[in-house]
Amino acid sequence: MITDPNILLSYINTKLRDNYSNLDELCEDLDLNKEEINTKLNSIDYYYEQKENKYIRR
């Protein structure tokens, strides 16, 4: 998994925008740990907004 939270943010949001209708689908398809992603992105004040299907700043 990508360790830099800013790069991870860009990667995840791009994947969500281009290929997935929600975070659960992305994690399942790519075999990623949703809690790990949330922890890393929460550390830079981003959280997943389901309605917009992307991570946004608090």
Side-chain angles (χ1 to χ4, degrees):
M1 179 181 284
I2 300 167
T3 56
D4 183 302
N6 292 299
I7 295 171
L8 180 62
L9 172 65
S10 177
Y11 175 78
I12 295 293
N13 274 345
T14 299
K15 288 288 190 183
L16 286 168
R17 182 191 69 223
D18 295 345
N19 304 105
Y20 298 97
S21 60
N22 61 58
L23 182 59
D24 290 326
E25 184 183 324
L26 178 145
C27 289
E28 183 177 326
D29 190 47
L30 300 179
D31 196 29
L32 298 173
N33 184 308
K34 185 168 118 175
E35 293 305 315
E36 232 180 279
I37 293 169
N38 282 328
T39 299
K40 285 183 191 284
L41 296 183
N42 288 168
S43 75
I44 58 169
D45 294 327
Y46 279 82
Y47 71 97
Y48 180 67
E49 174 56 57
Q50 188 170 2
K51 289 180 190 174
E52 296 185 37
N53 191 36
K54 66 179 179 178
Y55 278 88
I56 60 173
R57 192 149 182 106
R58 289 191 197 271

